Amino acid sequence: MGQTQTLIEVGGGAVRLLDKPLGQGADAAIYRVEGCPDLVAKIYHKPEQDPGRRAKLEAMLANSPELSHIEHDGHRFVQIAWPQSIVTNRRGELRGYLMPFVDLSRAVSLEMMLNRKTRQFSKLPEHYGYRLSAAKNLAALIAALHRKRHHVIDMKPVNINVYRETFFTALLDCDGFSIQGAGKRFTAHQYTPDYIAPEAIKGRQGPDQLGEEQDRFALAVILFQLLNQGVHPFQGTPKGGANLPTTNHERIGAGLYAYGLKEHPRIAPSPWSIHQALDSRTQQLFENAFTKPPYARPSAQEWSDHLHWLLAADDSPLQPCPNNKEHLSFGNGCPFCTVEQKAANTVKRKAKRPARAQPPKGRRAHRATAQTQPQPQYRPQPQPAAQPIVMPRKVKWGLITALSVVVIPLLLSAILNPVIASWRWPGFTEAALDMGWPVCDSDRDYNLLSQALLSEEKGHIQLALQHIKGASCLGDVAVNYASGWLGSDVDDDRLWMLLEKLSSASQSYERWMSLDTAARQNYSGAYTSYYHDPLGYIETAVRERLSNLPYSPEVRDSWLQRLRSVSEDHGRRALGDDSPGDELAPTYAHARAVVNGIEESVLEPLWKWTAEHDLEGLMEILPERALVDLKKVEWIIAAVAEKNVDKLADLLQRPAIAFNEGDYDGEDKLARDQSIVASTLRVSDLSTLPEAVKTLSLNCAQLYHAFSVLGEGNMNFMSPRRVPTPYYNPLVARNASSSEVPLKSGGMAYLVRQPELACALSAVADGDSGDGVSLKAVAVFLTRAETAEPGIKQKVLWDMARNMPRWESDSGLRLYKSRDNTERLVAWLVEEQTAAEWVDRDGETLAHYLVNWVSPELVQRLPSLGASTSLRNSRNLTLKEAYQRRLSAQGTASNHERAALEALGRRSPAEKLDDYFFGSESDS
C-alpha cells in the first residue's frame, strides 16, 4: 500500500501515513501510521478554519491526564485518545496530531449497553454486573480528566466506547473537550440536548460557557441509564392527564425528575424502572444530581468510589439472584425478575384480548354467514352492571365546597403569584401569605422570597422571611442570590438578611462537639457536601458572593465583622449558651476547640478571598492563636509559598500557624510541623526555604505526596509520562517512561537528605500498572540522583531490603502491589551495583535482608546477580540456611521455593573466581 503524505512530528522526525483512512468525519480523517501499529493520526480537512486549534493541542500536551493504557490478559486497552504530539506539513503549518490507536473492532458504543435489544444485537452479555463495571470505569475515567480540570461537555453514550472483553471505557475526539491550559481555558463548542444541565437550559448557555457541573449532570444521566434499564431520568408518564413537555431536553429544564426519593406531583416513573430497588446510597446520589443545586451534584470521583464499593466491598449489598444468574439484587428482592414478570403478564393480557372483527356488509353478509361455521370458543357470561352510586344532594354540595377550598387557592397561586411579583409586593401579598401560599418554593417563578429580593423595598424581604420555616429552600435562594442567578444586582445588605435568617435555623454541632485535643491534627471543619446545614449554606453563599466582588480592605473588614458575629453566636449555641469557661477547668481545651473550629469554618471563605488578592492582609486577619484545623494551615502556607516566598518566614512565626510551637508536645508537634513543611514545598526554589524547614524530614506518605509539587511549575516530577519518540529511530523504545518535568532548584539536594526517600519511591513503584512505566521513572530519577549524590542508589537499595515488611504494615500509603513492583526495582538496583558482597556495618548482607520478604523468583536469581552465598551474617547463617529457616517456619514450600533454596547453594560468579585464584581461602 502506498503513502499519500509525509508529515513532520513537532520535536521528532518524519511521519508517513497510510493512504486509506480508517474513518472520516466532517472535520477530520483518521489514518494509520506506517511502522507504528499503536498510533494513528487525526488529520484535519481545513485546520486553518480554527486559528486557536494549535494552542489548544499544545495545552493538551502540557496538561495530559494520567490515563495510561491498561494491559490485561495480554491485550492493550487504550482509555483515551489523547494527543501525543502535533504534526505539521514541511512549512510548519498544523495538519493534525498523533494519538493512541483505539481498536474499535473490539469495542461498542456505550449506547448499545443501555437496553436488552441493543445488547442482544451487539452480542453483549446480559449480566447486570457488566453494566455496573462499565459505569465504574467510566466514572473513574472522567474523574481523571477532572483532576486536570478538563471537561468533556458533550458527554453522551454514543461518544463513549466500551471494550467487549473487559468493559473498560474509552474516549475519542478529545480535541473537542473544554481544556484547561496555563492560565487559559479552551472551551468546547458542542453539546447534546438530552444531556444538558438544567441551569444551562434556563440560562440559555452555550457549550463554551459550561464547566464541570455540566459533566457531573451528563455523567449522572448516563449512569442512571446504565443502572436503570436504559431509562432516561426525565422520561416518565404524565399524571392526571397533565400537559407536559414531550422532549427530555424540555423536561430537564422543567425539573421533571420522576425517580426521586419523593413522588413527583406531575410525572410518574416508567413502569419498567428498577430505581426503587437500587441501594439507598445510589438513590441519594441520583437525588443530589437531579434535584439539588449544581454545586451539590456528586463528582465523578464520588461516583467512582461508590460504584467500586458496590462491586468490590465486603459490605456491598449486591447479591446474586437465586432464579437467574444474570440478575443481581441490592438486598431487597430481584428487581429484574419483577420487571420480567410484569412484561410476561402484559403479553398474556394482550394475547387474551379478543380482536374486534368487523361484521360483513352488503350482499356478502349472508354468504359469509352461511359458509362460515362457528368455531368453539370461550364466551364470558354477562355480568350484571354495577349500580351507579347516587350521592345525596347535601353531601354532593358539601364535597364540592370542600374541594373548592383546596383547589381554588392552588389555582390562584399558580395564576396570581407572577402577578403579585409584578405588583412589587403590595398589601395583597400579605393576604396571600395568610392563606398559606408558599413563600419559598423550588420554582423561582413562583417563589415569593425570590420576588421579594427583586423588589425595591427591603421590608418585603422581612415580610417574607417571617414566614420561612426550615433552611433548605432559604439556603438555596441565598446561594442563588449570592451567585447572581436571580437576575439582579446583588445587594450585600439584602444577602445578609438572608444569611442572618439562615443562621437562626436549627444547626447540628455534632462534628465540632466530637473534637478533642488528640483529634485536632486530623480535623477538617470545611463543610464540603454538607449544604443541608445552615452553616454549610452560609459558607457557600459567602464564597460565591466574594468571588464576584473586587477586593478592598474595607469590604474585607465589613464581612469579617459580620462573619465573626455569626461564629460567636454559633459557638455559644454549640456549648449550650455557655462560654468556654475557666482556662484551668478540665473541659476548657475541648470547649475552646469547638468554638475555634466553628469560627474557622465560617471565616474560611473570607480568608481564601483575601489570600487571592492580599497576602499581607490575610496575615492581619488570621487569629492570634493556633488554628484547630490543620487543613486550613496547609492551604494558607501553600498559598504564601507559591505567591510570595518572602513572606513565608514571617508567616511561620504567626500564632495561627504554630510552626515549631512549644504549646504542642511530642507526636502532635512533629505531625503538625511536618504537614506545614510539606505545604512550604510549593516555593519555586527550595534553597530559599528557612533552615528550620529544610532540616525537618517528612514521613513516607508526606514525601510521596510532595513529589507532586517538587517539579518546576509545582508539577509532579515523578509522574510517569508517555514520551513520543522519533519514529525514524527504531532503536529507541516507544512509550518509554520518563520524568519530563525537571526538579526545582534545590530539589535534588532536598530529596537525597530525606531518610524516607526509599519508602516514597516504593510507593511510586507500587503505582505501576504492569508496563514498567512507573518503575522506569524511579530508575531515571535514581540515575540522576546518583550523579548528584554518589552512593544514593546503594542507600535506597539497603533501605528497601531492610524495611519493606515494615512499610507494608505501617505505612499509610497502602502499598497494595509494593512487593511485586519493588522486587523488580530491587533487581534492577542489584544489577547496577559493582560490589559483589554488599555487607553493611552490622555484618549482615543485603541478600540476607532480601530473603526475609522477596519472592522465590528473585531469591533464585540472587547468585546470578552477584550476591555472595557463602558469607555468613551476624547470626552465623549463610543465605541458604537463612532461607531454609524461613521455609521451615512457614511449614510448606512450593516448587518455586524449593528451586530457590537449591539455587542459593550455588556460588556466585565472584566466588567462583575466588575459588579459582585462591582456593578455599575465599571462605574466610
Side-chain angles (χ1 to χ4, degrees):
M1 183 177 294
Q3 288 78 32
T4 58
Q5 51 187 320
T6 299
L7 303 177
I8 305 299
E9 180 192 7
V10 174
V15 177
R16 291 185 291 182
L17 309 184
L18 302 185
D19 60 357
K20 186 178 180 180
L22 287 174
Q24 293 198 63
D27 187 44
I30 308 298
Y31 292 87
R32 298 299 296 262
V33 179
E34 185 184 55
C36 303
D38 293 337
L39 287 175
V40 292
K42 181 170 184 177
I43 305 301
Y44 298 114
H45 299 318
K46 296 180 180 180
E48 67 280 356
Q49 286 186 342
D50 186 354
R53 183 171 269 159
R54 181 162 187 160
K56 184 174 186 178
L57 290 174
E58 290 172 346
M60 295 177 76
L61 291 172
N63 191 23
S64 59
E66 296 179 358
L67 284 167
S68 58
H69 72 265
I70 302 171
E71 296 288 345
H72 182 77
D73 286 343
H75 294 288
R76 181 175 184 266
F77 297 92
V78 175
Q79 298 185 82
I80 189 165
W82 197 263
Q84 289 200 348
S85 62
I86 297 173
V87 291
T88 68
N89 59 22
R90 295 191 182 279
R91 295 188 299 274
E93 298 167 337
L94 175 70
R95 290 307 314 279
Y97 61 89
L98 300 180
M99 61 183 179
F101 170 53
V102 178
D103 188 356
L104 294 180
S105 67
R106 294 159 52 204
V108 295
S109 167
L110 183 67
E111 189 176 37
M112 307 306 287
M113 289 193 70
L114 297 185
N115 62 68
R116 179 186 288 270
K117 287 186 177 180
T118 55
R119 288 193 293 271
Q120 290 174 343
F121 176 80
S122 301
K123 295 182 172 57
L124 292 171
E126 189 59 32
H127 195 288
Y128 188 63
Y130 292 115
R131 278 166 270 165
L132 285 171
S133 296
K136 192 272 175 193
N137 293 334
L138 174 62
L141 194 159
I142 300 301
L145 275 174
H146 286 178
R147 282 194 289 273
K148 293 293 186 176
R149 300 176 62 198
H150 303 314
H151 310 135
V152 179
I153 304 302
D154 191 22
M155 194 191 310
K156 54 186 176 183
V158 74
N159 285 355
I160 301 162
N161 294 279
V162 182
Y163 291 101
R164 296 172 184 272
E165 304 104 304
T166 61
F167 292 89
F168 297 143
T169 53
L171 292 179
L172 307 177
D173 296 326
C174 304
D175 52 337
F177 295 176
S178 175
I179 300 298
Q180 180 61 53
K184 179 181 179 180
R185 176 164 289 281
F186 298 87
T187 56
H189 301 293
Q190 188 172 345
Y191 54 26
T192 301
D194 282 9
Y195 299 90
I196 304 177
E199 66 273 10
I201 298 173
K202 295 177 182 178
R204 300 181 182 276
Q205 296 173 283
D208 57 331
Q209 298 174 277
L210 304 181
E212 185 175 334
E213 289 79 8
Q214 160 63 25
D215 274 11
R216 292 187 179 195
F217 181 83
L219 176 63
V221 174
I222 295 170
L223 298 181
F224 188 91
Q225 291 178 288
L226 272 172
L227 270 59
N228 191 29
Q229 307 282 74
V231 176
H232 191 284
F234 291 84
Q235 287 175 334
T237 306
K239 287 185 176 180
N243 185 19
L244 301 183
T246 57
T247 67
N248 293 332
H249 174 74
E250 294 171 310
R251 291 186 175 188
I252 291 171
L256 297 173
Y257 175 56
Y259 306 89
L261 299 178
K262 293 183 180 179
E263 183 179 344
H264 198 285
R266 302 174 63 198
I267 187 169
S270 163
W272 312 116
S273 170
I274 64 165
H275 68 284
Q276 291 181 327
L278 297 176
D279 182 76
S280 60
R281 283 151 286 197
T282 310
Q283 295 183 51
Q284 184 62 58
L285 287 172
F286 283 128
E287 181 83 4
N288 296 344
F290 299 130
T291 67
K292 296 293 193 277
Y295 51 79
R297 287 177 195 141
S299 67
Q301 188 60 55
E302 288 179 84
W303 277 116
S304 177
D305 293 343
H306 174 70
L307 292 166
H308 179 78
W309 168 76
L310 278 178
L311 286 163
D314 293 336
D315 59 342
S316 169
L318 275 182
Q319 298 175 4
C321 171
N323 301 320
N324 190 322
K325 65 181 181 180
E326 294 178 339
H327 296 172
L328 292 174
S329 76
F330 294 86
N332 49 5
C334 179
F336 302 100
C337 288
T338 304
V339 168
E340 288 180 358
Q341 185 60 49
K342 186 187 298 184
N345 293 339
T346 302
V347 172
K348 288 180 181 178
R349 284 196 298 271
K350 288 182 178 180
K352 287 182 179 180
R353 189 180 302 156
R356 292 187 178 181
Q358 295 295 327
K361 297 182 180 180
R363 280 187 257 176
R364 296 180 181 178
H366 175 73
R367 188 182 309 165
T369 306
Q371 294 178 356
T372 305
Q373 296 298 322
Q375 298 297 319
Q377 59 180 344
Y378 168 73
R379 295 178 180 274
Q381 297 297 316
Q383 299 293 323
Q387 294 296 320
I389 298 176
V390 180
M391 190 179 298
R393 185 179 184 87
K394 290 183 179 181
V395 175
K396 181 190 300 183
W397 284 108
L399 285 174
I400 292 174
T401 303
L403 287 171
S404 300
V405 172
V406 176
V407 174
I408 291 176
L410 293 176
L411 293 174
L412 287 175
S413 173
I415 297 171
L416 294 180
N417 274 357
V419 178
I420 293 169
S422 66
W423 292 352
R424 295 302 181 197
W425 283 73
F428 185 72
T429 302
E430 296 188 37
L433 292 172
D434 291 340
M435 292 176 65
W437 293 3
V439 180
C440 197
D441 189 81
S442 58
D443 190 335
R444 196 187 83 179
D445 294 335
Y446 301 98
N447 189 328
L448 296 182
L449 177 59
S450 297
Q451 300 299 339
L453 288 168
L454 301 177
S455 72
E456 297 178 357
E457 296 294 332
K458 292 182 180 178
H460 297 160
I461 304 175
Q462 294 172 338
L463 174 63
L465 291 176
Q466 292 173 9
H467 293 77
I468 295 289
K469 296 180 180 179
S472 180
C473 182
L474 174 60
D476 288 339
V477 171
V479 171
N480 290 340
Y481 182 66
S483 305
W485 289 354
L486 294 187
S488 64
D489 293 334
V490 180
D491 178 77
D492 284 348
D493 291 336
R494 291 170 183 250
L495 175 60
W496 190 245
M497 294 170 68
L498 300 179
L499 299 186
E500 284 185 314
K501 180 68 176 181
L502 259 177
S503 183
S504 65
S506 176
Q507 167 72 53
S508 169
Y509 301 102
E510 181 179 353
R511 298 184 66 209
W512 289 285
M513 295 304 293
S514 62
L515 273 176
D516 56 42
T517 53
R520 287 163 55 168
Q521 298 302 324
N522 297 319
Y523 167 68
S524 176
Y527 245 90
T528 305
S529 301
Y530 286 84
Y531 299 109
H532 57 276
D533 281 353
L535 285 179
Y537 281 116
I538 291 172
E539 187 267 342
T540 307
V542 171
R543 186 182 68 243
E544 292 291 336
R545 176 57 182 147
L546 293 178
S547 66
N548 295 312
L549 277 179
Y551 177 81
S552 71
E554 293 75 23
V555 174
R556 178 201 68 198
D557 292 342
S558 172
W559 277 98
L560 179 63
Q561 183 178 359
R562 286 172 166 175
L563 293 175
R564 276 180 175 165
S565 68
V566 169
S567 71
E568 290 170 2
D569 175 56
H570 282 273
R572 287 191 298 271
R573 287 163 57 183
L575 298 179
D577 291 326
D578 294 331
S579 66
D582 186 357
E583 292 189 23
L584 299 179
T587 58
Y588 176 81
H590 174 259
R592 188 75 258 173
V594 170
V595 172
N596 293 345
I598 292 174
E599 179 189 48
E600 292 165 19
S601 183
V602 172
L603 291 178
E604 186 175 26
L606 181 67
W607 291 349
K608 288 187 173 179
W609 181 63
T610 306
E612 291 175 4
H613 302 90
D614 180 10
L615 291 176
E616 192 66 45
L618 170 65
M619 291 192 238
E620 291 177 7
I621 63 175
L622 289 176
E624 293 296 316
R625 57 166 177 80
L627 297 186
V628 174
D629 186 359
L630 190 54
K631 295 296 182 185
K632 293 179 174 55
V633 174
E634 290 172 355
W635 77 251
I636 291 170
I637 289 287
V640 175
E642 194 165 2
K643 295 181 179 180
N644 194 338
V645 67
D646 294 337
K647 298 185 182 298
L648 186 57
D650 182 23
L651 180 64
L652 292 175
Q653 302 304 315
R654 301 281 172 144
I657 305 304
F659 177 66
N660 210 14
E661 177 58 50
D663 289 346
Y664 289 87
D665 297 321
E667 293 183 0
D668 282 351
K669 178 179 181 298
L670 177 61
R672 187 179 188 91
D673 287 353
Q674 285 179 326
S675 295
I676 291 172
V677 168
S679 299
T680 65
L681 299 181
R682 287 186 173 273
V683 298
S684 58
D685 184 352
L686 271 67
S687 63
T688 63
L689 288 172
E691 198 61 28
V693 170
K694 287 192 290 187
T695 56
L696 184 65
S697 300
L698 299 182
N699 64 35
C700 182
Q702 290 166 335
L703 185 60
Y704 168 68
H705 293 299
F707 287 164
S708 62
V709 297
L710 287 179
E712 288 187 2
N714 282 317
M715 295 184 69
N716 190 345
F717 82 101
M718 279 299 300
S719 178
R721 291 170 172 79
R722 304 285 175 183
V723 182
T725 57
Y727 301 107
Y728 53 81
N729 186 354
L731 299 177
V732 180
R734 291 182 177 83
N735 290 328
S737 172
S738 174
S739 184
E740 292 177 334
V741 179
L743 271 168
K744 296 175 182 176
S745 178
M748 186 61 75
Y750 178 82
L751 286 174
V752 297
R753 290 199 307 264
Q754 290 293 318
E756 296 291 334
L757 177 61
C759 178
L761 293 177
S762 295
V764 176
D766 183 63
D768 194 88
S769 59
D771 54 7
V773 174
S774 295
L775 296 175
K776 187 66 175 177
V778 175
V780 169
F781 166 73
L782 284 174
T783 300
R784 294 163 56 193
E786 185 72 16
T787 303
E789 184 75 11
I792 191 66
K793 280 187 182 180
Q794 186 83 347
K795 179 181 182 303
V796 167
L797 175 60
W798 271 108
D799 287 346
M800 287 180 176
R802 284 193 186 101
N803 299 316
M804 179 53 64
R806 176 174 64 84
W807 294 339
E808 285 184 307
S809 60
D810 298 340
S811 173
L813 293 172
R814 299 179 181 176
L815 305 181
Y816 297 111
K817 298 177 292 186
S818 60
R819 191 155 296 220
D820 293 338
N821 287 334
T822 308
E823 283 173 12
R824 295 163 67 189
L825 187 61
V826 166
W828 174 79
L829 287 169
V830 169
E831 290 173 340
E832 288 285 307
Q833 304 307 307
T834 56
E837 296 175 355
W838 311 307
V839 180
D840 73 348
R841 298 174 185 175
D842 300 326
E844 297 278 9
T845 64
L846 174 64
H848 283 95
Y849 279 114
L850 291 178
V851 296
N852 288 328
W853 60 269
V854 299
S855 69
E857 289 81 0
L858 184 54
V859 171
Q860 192 169 358
R861 294 173 56 199
L862 287 176
S864 64
L865 293 176
S868 174
T869 57
S870 61
L871 285 176
R872 294 183 176 273
N873 64 10
S874 57
R875 290 173 293 174
N876 199 32
L877 295 174
T878 65
L879 264 178
K880 184 174 183 178
E881 291 167 347
Y883 193 61
Q884 193 164 18
R885 284 196 176 189
R886 174 187 170 190
L887 298 184
S888 299
Q890 72 185 36
T892 60
S894 66
N895 291 335
H896 281 301
E897 289 169 330
R898 284 192 288 269
L901 182 64
E902 181 182 352
L904 289 179
R906 306 188 193 110
R907 288 189 172 287
S908 70
E911 289 171 327
K912 290 178 180 179
L913 283 175
D914 283 348
D915 284 344
Y916 179 80
F917 287 108
F918 306 107
S920 60
E921 292 182 4
S922 61
D923 289 337
S924 56

